Amino acid sequence: MTARVRKAVIPAAGLGTRFLPATKALPKEMLPVVDKPAIQYVVEESVSAGLSDVLMIIGRNKNAISNHFDRVTELELNLQKKGDTQKLERVVKSQELTEDIYYLRQGDPKGLGHAVLRARAHINNEPFAVLLGDDLIDARESLLTTMIDEQEKRDATIVALMEVDPDQIHLYGAAQVEETDDPDVVKVTGLVEKPAKEDAPSNLAIIGRYVLKPEVFDVLERTEPGKGGEIQLTDALEELAADDSIAGGVYGVIFRGRRYDTGDRLDYIKAIVQLALDREDLGPGLRPWLKDFVGDLD
Ligand code: G1P
């Protein structure tokens, strides 16, 4: 049995170029999905899976993120005076999620693998989760908890996998897998970062949730830049998948639930519509309007 995962790492140092000019002065992680910044959903997911120690790897120009998870006394007093408890609750929620948020600057953005390696001193020698902010997992799902349970049970590295359209696999890390006796868990025997459709070992894509073992840091230290000239986490995991003796191999938890991609503009718009439709305060107003609007489209 290994130690239960307690810590999460959230890389938030991407440049967000797909959303320019919105991300010229604003970190992409702060773009609102309905009325909450994307990164708040991710921290909420982490905390509700029991991981309240959160390390964010941030880049330049990311002070808005730390401000968001801090108090804003002036605003709070103002809302208190007005007796607007509903808004006050929304304001303090991000700060009250956890007291244990830590920030580390990545320096040069040299890729996801490099960002994760920066977490080494904070994580030390225990298993930990990595959550990527472009993928939002619906709060009603328990993907991360399942992955943590599998990590504990198998003492291995765990990635979240989801079937995607083969035309989309070039946007993801793709996994070569073998069945296990659990239909929702596969053994990962190989990984390729963003392969062309014809080179992909399957249409099982890594979605942005990982439960890693500290051995990954040694592998990342020696991982050469890969796709896009960046140090890829997928390449380090490929090494761990190829040799079970390093850290017990890699397993994939197949996710079939609700996931919202906020990584590009089109998916971001879809995510907002889907999440808003589900909301009690906005759904009833949006639904009939949307039906009408769609009915009028040709
Ligand atoms: C990263 C990873 C990729 C993974 C994806 C999930 O890519 O490198 O393996 O499939 O996240 O969202 P990015 O989307 O940051 O380019």
Side-chain angles (χ1 to χ4, degrees):
M1 280 274 271
T2 59
R4 180 93 180 159
V5 179
R6 302 182 299 132
K7 296 179 179 175
V9 174
I10 303 182
L15 298 174
T17 49
R18 280 182 265 189
F19 286 91
L20 281 169
T23 47
K24 197 173 160 192
L26 186 75
K28 73 166 176 178
E29 294 79 7
M30 287 300 294
L31 292 176
V33 179
V34 187
D35 51 9
K36 260 192 296 192
I39 195 141
Q40 188 175 332
Y41 289 85
V42 181
V43 175
E44 286 174 3
E45 180 189 342
S46 174
V47 172
S48 59
L51 314 184
S52 50
D53 181 309
V54 175
L55 173 68
M56 292 201 194
I57 314 290
I58 55 173
R60 277 175 297 116
N61 203 7
K62 301 277 181 156
N63 293 341
I65 297 178
S66 47
N67 288 341
H68 180 71
F69 291 99
D70 202 352
R71 291 228 96 99
V72 203
T73 335
E74 241 176 67
L75 178 60
E76 288 170 33
L77 283 175
N78 189 295
L79 292 169
Q80 252 161 20
K81 260 195 223 147
K82 285 190 190 149
D84 196 337
T85 45
Q86 215 182 16
K87 286 208 184 90
L88 184 62
E89 265 171 40
R90 283 193 221 156
V91 167
V92 295
K93 170 121 197 247
S94 60
Q95 197 272 331
E96 287 178 346
L97 279 171
T98 167
E99 287 181 342
D100 293 328
I101 302 195
Y102 305 90
Y103 301 92
L104 193 69
R105 300 277 283 237
Q106 185 181 9
D108 285 336
K110 289 193 215 153
L112 179 58
H114 178 251
V116 171
L117 184 55
R118 297 283 290 126
R120 182 171 208 163
H122 180 85
I123 297 295
N124 211 350
N125 200 24
E126 49 184 297
F128 63 103
V130 173
L131 291 83
L132 306 187
D134 285 350
D135 290 297
L136 301 186
I137 304 295
D138 195 285
R140 292 162 289 190
E141 308 287 354
S142 55
L143 173 64
L144 192 55
T145 306
T146 307
M147 293 175 72
I148 294 168
D149 291 344
E150 287 297 328
Q151 200 289 320
E152 207 173 7
K153 183 172 132 195
R154 296 176 192 271
D155 190 13
T157 298
I158 311 291
V159 295
L161 297 175
M162 192 166 187
E163 266 190 52
V164 298
D165 188 314
D167 286 330
Q168 299 286 306
I169 197 73
H170 68 281
L171 300 170
Y172 297 94
Q176 179 177 316
V177 302
E178 280 170 8
E179 284 179 15
T180 66
D181 47 16
D182 181 338
D184 293 325
V185 179
V186 288
K187 173 97 168 70
V188 175
T189 55
L191 287 165
V192 194
E193 178 68 2
K194 304 200 173 100
K197 183 180 172 181
E198 46 288 357
D199 301 329
S202 75
N203 65 337
L204 284 172
I206 305 181
I207 51 170
R209 299 294 178 273
Y210 308 79
V211 182
L212 304 177
K213 294 184 64 178
E215 286 85 343
V216 75
F217 294 126
D218 284 338
V219 181
L220 282 169
E221 293 273 10
R222 57 174 184 264
T223 301
E224 298 285 334
K227 198 97 192 178
E230 297 190 335
I231 298 173
Q232 298 292 351
L233 180 59
T234 305
D235 293 346
L237 299 183
E238 154 67 10
E239 189 174 329
L240 293 175
D243 184 354
D244 285 3
S245 73
I246 306 177
V250 178
Y251 289 81
V253 168
I254 312 272
F255 183 62
R256 307 176 216 273
R258 287 157 288 199
R259 159 184 174 257
Y260 314 98
D261 188 350
T262 60
D264 74 36
R265 291 172 301 171
L266 186 58
D267 288 327
Y268 173 75
I269 294 167
K270 293 181 195 166
I272 291 178
V273 174
Q274 284 173 288
L275 282 161
L277 275 175
D278 263 353
R279 288 255 303 243
E280 275 173 24
D281 53 347
L282 298 168
L286 180 59
R287 189 172 299 273
W289 175 84
L290 194 61
K291 275 189 173 162
D292 260 10
F293 183 73
V294 171
D296 286 344
L297 291 179
D298 40 45

